[in-house]
Amino acid sequence: MKTPRTAGWLVCSLALALPACSDSSRPTASPAPTTSAQAAPTEVVNPHPAPAAKTGDEARALVDQWAAAQNEGKPEAYAALYAPKFEGVRRSGSRVWHLDRARWLKLREEAIQKKAEVKVSDVSVIPSLAGAVVTFTQQGAQGPTSDEGQKRLVLVRSEGKLLIAREELLRADKGKEAGTPGAAGQVTLAIRTPKPMLVLDTNPKDEWGDETPWLATRGDVVQAGRTVDASKLPPELASVRGKRFELFGKAGKVCEATVTSFGLLGQVKPNASFVTRWDGKDEASGEALGDVDVAKDAWDLSATRGEAGGRVLTGLLFASQGKCDEALWGRPLPEAPKGGEAEAGKEAAATDAKAAGDKAKAAGDKAKSAGDKAKAGEEAPKAETVVVEAKPADNTTRDKVLQDLRKLPAYAELQKEYEGLKAAGDPARWEEAQGSKQEVLVMELPSGVTLITATLSAGTGCGTFGGALSAVWESKGGKLTRVSEAFGEALPAVSAADVDGDGRFEIVFENGMLRSSGAHYEQWERLVVPALDSGC
């Protein structure tokens, strides 16, 4: 039975149990047999396909044409650059729009006719077997659709030329500054597929890994992994190996585990044209790719900049207590005293405990013992971390919070947009459109404060209306106070927890968390897998 390429990386995550595994986990090649006759030279042929050599230049030329068409007021030339199957993603403040080709071009037409001043800089191109991904900084767009920031174009090849299949202004989260992984109080997010891992760095260097990516998972999200040589890591990252972490799920602590080794993980939601090429169903190739080639293409595509989550350095785990399969986040456990310090601590603790026992009654021994250990240099038992699972609100709370959400200016803006798009027979309010969903969740904290998240969403976007609105509230003594801005996306909270011990509870989601800054929740820390498909 053949061992899949993934096995080396995954098996060596048990490095403490399998000391024979090395950081590289790469098989050792057998020596070639020797013969007396010299073999005839053979031509070396690379069996693995590569993007066309001209792809990078073509992609940059398209970006130049894209900017020129807008600056010169040529909507027809602009439209000619877009594929028939296209999705545009716009962001303005917290509002997010998903638009099909017709709505996108109609929205841009007015600004283009006014010769919008679009400036493009810092262009990077990732060639793919079926197209390319281009990321750049856009500045100076004019008109009602003005946007500035990091923009990503997904290009697909159609009839021999590149066309834009997806255009997206990337989100700019207001996040917390990252700390050193494994440092006291430093929290790391967890990834559960293909197996539980801790995220140690969201901007890893390519040279940390070996040369050959392998296919970890293939579905809506494709993951490619690479083995890491720990000697190439910065000291603060390499030192995480051997550290013990406690990991938490939606209802509390799920496991304790040790980081045994490292891996690089690339993640991407590929465009359908890229998948068609992988499966050999495109017009040109007619031959499906093997896992090695799919992994290489997916790894390259995961490098798109502007979002944390495409490529990450992970710490592979060996669980010593519990199961880590449902972990969402983790933090380091206190390190035990070493060598003579530990022995001296034990002797001092025993002496102090005996002296205390002569004076204290049995009922006070436990508290006294904790004080004695602190004097002896030992750490007192740490208070258990409280994790409050999110649950549906009762009807009274639900109605009160939704009523407050509907009063926000952002709600009125969505309603105005909806009325410009709705057809005869459609519901009166945007929140009642096709696919409507209401969700109000509560998390009752030990302090007596209740955290509440509420989301209204409806519509599918693209050629029709689509919108979402959410926010966070605190409730205490019957008083409801909104403690966040209005977000243009859903807030599917799973729990609340004081993850870093600062006395403030964070709101935890499947892919990250929302932290408070002062009295308001506004700092996002999340993993976003690059979305390259055109769903419209």
mmCIF file of all heavy atoms in Angstrom, residues 435-454:
data_model
loop_
_atom_site.group_PDB
_atom_site.id
_atom_site.type_symbol
_atom_site.label_atom_id
_atom_site.label_comp_id
_atom_site.label_asym_id
_atom_site.label_seq_id
_atom_site.Cartn_x
_atom_site.Cartn_y
_atom_site.Cartn_z
ATOM 1 N N GLY A 435 -34.395 34.326 1.117
ATOM 2 C CA GLY A 435 -33.294 33.859 1.944
ATOM 3 C C GLY A 435 -33.125 34.615 3.237
ATOM 4 O O GLY A 435 -32.040 34.598 3.833
ATOM 5 N N SER A 436 -34.182 35.281 3.705
ATOM 6 C CA SER A 436 -34.075 36.105 4.914
ATOM 7 C C SER A 436 -33.756 35.258 6.140
ATOM 8 O O SER A 436 -34.193 34.108 6.274
ATOM 9 C CB SER A 436 -35.377 36.870 5.143
ATOM 10 O OG SER A 436 -36.458 35.971 5.346
ATOM 11 N N LYS A 437 -32.983 35.839 7.059
ATOM 12 C CA LYS A 437 -32.583 35.150 8.282
ATOM 13 C C LYS A 437 -32.414 36.166 9.401
ATOM 14 O O LYS A 437 -31.832 37.226 9.201
ATOM 15 C CB LYS A 437 -31.265 34.393 8.062
ATOM 16 C CG LYS A 437 -30.817 33.570 9.257
ATOM 17 C CD LYS A 437 -29.533 32.810 8.963
ATOM 18 C CE LYS A 437 -29.075 32.000 10.166
ATOM 19 N NZ LYS A 437 -27.817 31.264 9.892
ATOM 20 N N GLN A 438 -32.937 35.819 10.556
ATOM 21 C CA GLN A 438 -32.769 36.625 11.758
ATOM 22 C C GLN A 438 -32.110 35.749 12.822
ATOM 23 O O GLN A 438 -32.523 34.614 13.033
ATOM 24 C CB GLN A 438 -34.113 37.124 12.285
ATOM 25 C CG GLN A 438 -34.898 37.989 11.324
ATOM 26 C CD GLN A 438 -36.247 38.392 11.889
ATOM 27 O OE1 GLN A 438 -36.698 37.846 12.883
ATOM 28 N NE2 GLN A 438 -36.889 39.352 11.253
ATOM 29 N N GLU A 439 -31.094 36.284 13.476
ATOM 30 C CA GLU A 439 -30.418 35.519 14.525
ATOM 31 C C GLU A 439 -29.991 36.458 15.644
ATOM 32 O O GLU A 439 -29.258 37.420 15.409
ATOM 33 C CB GLU A 439 -29.200 34.776 13.974
ATOM 34 C CG GLU A 439 -28.528 33.877 14.995
ATOM 35 C CD GLU A 439 -27.375 33.079 14.416
ATOM 36 O OE1 GLU A 439 -26.419 33.707 13.922
ATOM 37 O OE2 GLU A 439 -27.440 31.834 14.445
ATOM 38 N N VAL A 440 -30.460 36.172 16.859
ATOM 39 C CA VAL A 440 -30.063 36.923 18.043
ATOM 40 C C VAL A 440 -29.531 35.918 19.053
ATOM 41 O O VAL A 440 -30.234 34.976 19.442
ATOM 42 C CB VAL A 440 -31.240 37.717 18.639
ATOM 43 C CG1 VAL A 440 -30.773 38.492 19.871
ATOM 44 C CG2 VAL A 440 -31.836 38.661 17.603
ATOM 45 N N LEU A 441 -28.291 36.107 19.488
ATOM 46 C CA LEU A 441 -27.626 35.182 20.397
ATOM 47 C C LEU A 441 -27.214 35.908 21.667
ATOM 48 O O LEU A 441 -26.800 37.074 21.619
ATOM 49 C CB LEU A 441 -26.384 34.572 19.728
ATOM 50 C CG LEU A 441 -26.638 33.788 18.431
ATOM 51 C CD1 LEU A 441 -25.326 33.450 17.749
ATOM 52 C CD2 LEU A 441 -27.430 32.521 18.719
ATOM 53 N N VAL A 442 -27.307 35.216 22.803
ATOM 54 C CA VAL A 442 -26.943 35.814 24.087
ATOM 55 C C VAL A 442 -25.856 34.989 24.761
ATOM 56 O O VAL A 442 -25.791 33.772 24.615
ATOM 57 C CB VAL A 442 -28.166 35.926 25.024
ATOM 58 C CG1 VAL A 442 -29.214 36.840 24.419
ATOM 59 C CG2 VAL A 442 -28.764 34.547 25.320
ATOM 60 N N MET A 443 -24.988 35.684 25.498
ATOM 61 C CA MET A 443 -23.926 35.065 26.292
ATOM 62 C C MET A 443 -23.939 35.724 27.664
ATOM 63 O O MET A 443 -23.567 36.898 27.788
ATOM 64 C CB MET A 443 -22.574 35.249 25.586
ATOM 65 C CG MET A 443 -22.460 34.470 24.279
ATOM 66 S SD MET A 443 -21.392 35.267 23.029
ATOM 67 C CE MET A 443 -22.514 36.523 22.366
ATOM 68 N N GLU A 444 -24.398 34.998 28.674
ATOM 69 C CA GLU A 444 -24.567 35.546 30.025
ATOM 70 C C GLU A 444 -23.270 35.415 30.803
ATOM 71 O O GLU A 444 -22.874 34.321 31.212
ATOM 72 C CB GLU A 444 -25.712 34.820 30.728
ATOM 73 C CG GLU A 444 -27.054 35.003 30.022
ATOM 74 C CD GLU A 444 -28.184 34.239 30.688
ATOM 75 O OE1 GLU A 444 -27.899 33.482 31.655
ATOM 76 O OE2 GLU A 444 -29.338 34.382 30.255
ATOM 77 N N LEU A 445 -22.592 36.536 31.026
ATOM 78 C CA LEU A 445 -21.283 36.554 31.659
ATOM 79 C C LEU A 445 -21.411 36.465 33.180
ATOM 80 O O LEU A 445 -22.445 36.839 33.757
ATOM 81 C CB LEU A 445 -20.533 37.828 31.283
ATOM 82 C CG LEU A 445 -20.433 38.146 29.783
ATOM 83 C CD1 LEU A 445 -19.576 39.386 29.566
ATOM 84 C CD2 LEU A 445 -19.900 36.961 28.998
ATOM 85 N N PRO A 446 -20.363 35.987 33.872
ATOM 86 C CA PRO A 446 -20.401 35.860 35.339
ATOM 87 C C PRO A 446 -20.639 37.193 36.047
ATOM 88 O O PRO A 446 -21.163 37.218 37.161
ATOM 89 C CB PRO A 446 -19.022 35.288 35.680
ATOM 90 C CG PRO A 446 -18.549 34.627 34.432
ATOM 91 C CD PRO A 446 -19.127 35.421 33.312
ATOM 92 N N SER A 447 -20.272 38.297 35.414
ATOM 93 C CA SER A 447 -20.412 39.619 36.041
ATOM 94 C C SER A 447 -21.857 40.099 36.110
ATOM 95 O O SER A 447 -22.149 41.110 36.741
ATOM 96 C CB SER A 447 -19.596 40.646 35.252
ATOM 97 O OG SER A 447 -20.096 40.753 33.924
ATOM 98 N N GLY A 448 -22.759 39.364 35.459
ATOM 99 C CA GLY A 448 -24.146 39.803 35.405
ATOM 100 C C GLY A 448 -24.481 40.537 34.127
ATOM 101 O O GLY A 448 -25.648 40.841 33.859
ATOM 102 N N VAL A 449 -23.458 40.850 33.315
ATOM 103 C CA VAL A 449 -23.663 41.473 32.010
ATOM 104 C C VAL A 449 -23.963 40.385 30.984
ATOM 105 O O VAL A 449 -23.345 39.318 31.005
ATOM 106 C CB VAL A 449 -22.427 42.280 31.578
ATOM 107 C CG1 VAL A 449 -22.580 42.786 30.144
ATOM 108 C CG2 VAL A 449 -22.197 43.446 32.523
ATOM 109 N N THR A 450 -24.903 40.651 30.092
ATOM 110 C CA THR A 450 -25.204 39.735 28.999
ATOM 111 C C THR A 450 -24.744 40.347 27.689
ATOM 112 O O THR A 450 -25.131 41.474 27.348
ATOM 113 C CB THR A 450 -26.711 39.433 28.915
ATOM 114 O OG1 THR A 450 -27.137 38.809 30.130
ATOM 115 C CG2 THR A 450 -27.014 38.495 27.751
ATOM 116 N N LEU A 451 -23.855 39.641 26.978
ATOM 117 C CA LEU A 451 -23.443 40.056 25.640
ATOM 118 C C LEU A 451 -24.467 39.526 24.646
ATOM 119 O O LEU A 451 -24.902 38.371 24.741
ATOM 120 C CB LEU A 451 -22.062 39.501 25.297
ATOM 121 C CG LEU A 451 -20.835 40.304 25.732
ATOM 122 C CD1 LEU A 451 -19.570 39.550 25.367
ATOM 123 C CD2 LEU A 451 -20.830 41.683 25.079
ATOM 124 N N ILE A 452 -24.815 40.362 23.660
ATOM 125 C CA ILE A 452 -25.824 39.983 22.672
ATOM 126 C C ILE A 452 -25.317 40.334 21.279
ATOM 127 O O ILE A 452 -24.818 41.439 21.049
ATOM 128 C CB ILE A 452 -27.159 40.718 22.925
ATOM 129 C CG1 ILE A 452 -27.631 40.499 24.367
ATOM 130 C CG2 ILE A 452 -28.224 40.250 21.941
ATOM 131 C CD1 ILE A 452 -28.818 41.367 24.748
ATOM 132 N N THR A 453 -25.429 39.394 20.354
ATOM 133 C CA THR A 453 -25.161 39.683 18.947
ATOM 134 C C THR A 453 -26.442 39.471 18.163
ATOM 135 O O THR A 453 -27.204 38.543 18.443
ATOM 136 C CB THR A 453 -24.057 38.783 18.363
ATOM 137 O OG1 THR A 453 -24.481 37.415 18.413
ATOM 138 C CG2 THR A 453 -22.756 38.936 19.135
ATOM 139 N N ALA A 454 -26.693 40.337 17.181
ATOM 140 C CA ALA A 454 -27.896 40.215 16.363
ATOM 141 C C ALA A 454 -27.535 40.416 14.902
ATOM 142 O O ALA A 454 -26.713 41.277 14.568
ATOM 143 C CB ALA A 454 -28.943 41.245 16.778
#
